[in-house]
Amino acid sequence: MADTLPAIAGARLILVLRSAIENGTAASVLPAGWAAPSRPFFDTAARAFVTQPMAESMSGIGLPLVTVDQEDRVVGVLSVTAPGAIIDRALDHGYEPPKALTLGVAVAKIHGLAVSETARSQGLATTLLKRAWQVHEQLGYFLLYGSYETERDLGAFYTRCGYTVLAPAQGFAPIDILFGIHAGPDECVLTRRRSRR
């Protein structure tokens, strides 16, 4: 499966995520929150953060989703990862590593979404995005975000899927922190925030 994901998405997997998919440890922390969200999930994630190298613990909270056709061929993928850029920015702004890492259990990044040409117009991308949001909302995440190149003109699609699409190069503040994240001049950021209860 690790070889199929990049081929469909037209991108390279982060090496540690590829290894985690191959050895079965990708998303290994997430099940702790499915039966009883919040506390068990946060406790399991905290243990992973202090007992494993940062890249490995972050792959444990990554979520690779795959959809297959009737012949069991992968035709759609969605990869949601820890927000590496946000964690790096937090460290650059003086956050202690444990505090910076906790952003990985509050914010997640849509790292890649793709559906093969033969399976398009079947709602697979919408279904993958919906499921990713359901999983992260259940786990207590505050924000799911991603970006796309402006030339791809995907704003209407992401808006229909419940995301807010920002203007090219516009930034956003992930949560109540002192810094924002900015898209490049040829990128649009999309965000979906959990409603306040």
Side-chain angles (χ1 to χ4, degrees):
M1 180 174 76
D3 290 329
T4 306
L5 295 175
I8 289 176
R12 292 187 336 250
L13 281 177
I14 301 166
L15 185 58
V16 70
L17 181 57
R18 178 189 172 113
S19 296
I21 290 169
E22 288 172 348
N23 70 26
T25 60
S28 60
V29 174
L30 301 182
W34 290 339
S38 295
R39 187 66 188 199
F41 171 63
F42 294 127
D43 291 348
T44 304
R47 276 192 299 282
F49 295 161
V50 298
T51 61
Q52 299 174 347
M54 183 171 160
E56 289 177 24
S57 63
M58 292 295 107
S59 69
I61 59 174
L63 178 65
L65 294 175
V66 177
T67 185
V68 296
D69 65 11
Q70 293 177 346
E71 284 85 40
D72 211 25
R73 294 178 301 219
V74 175
V75 293
V77 295
L78 174 67
S79 174
V80 181
T81 62
I86 291 174
I87 292 169
D88 288 345
R89 291 284 310 266
L91 292 168
D92 291 345
H93 278 79
Y95 282 61
E96 293 296 320
K99 187 174 181 182
L101 288 174
T102 61
L103 292 170
V105 295
V107 178
K109 181 178 183 193
I110 298 168
H111 182 74
L113 169 63
V115 174
S116 67
E117 287 187 33
T118 60
R120 292 190 181 153
S121 299
Q122 298 176 30
L124 298 178
T126 301
T127 300
L128 287 166
L129 281 168
K130 180 179 180 180
R131 184 63 183 139
W133 176 250
Q134 289 170 337
V135 168
H136 286 86
E137 185 179 40
Q138 180 179 351
L139 292 170
Y141 277 69
F142 295 101
L143 173 74
L144 209 55
Y145 80 99
S147 64
Y148 63 90
E149 297 86 15
T150 54
E151 67 187 36
R152 299 190 63 208
D153 195 25
L154 295 169
F157 165 72
Y158 282 113
T159 299
R160 282 192 309 273
C161 291
Y163 289 80
T164 300
V165 177
L166 306 178
Q170 184 178 351
F172 71 101
I175 51 178
D176 295 329
I177 53 180
L178 302 175
F179 60 87
I181 299 297
H182 297 277
D186 297 327
E187 292 181 310
C188 291
V189 169
L190 52 117
T191 64
R192 184 161 182 183
R193 297 177 187 270
R194 187 175 68 190
S195 60
R196 299 190 187 257
R197 296 173 189 183

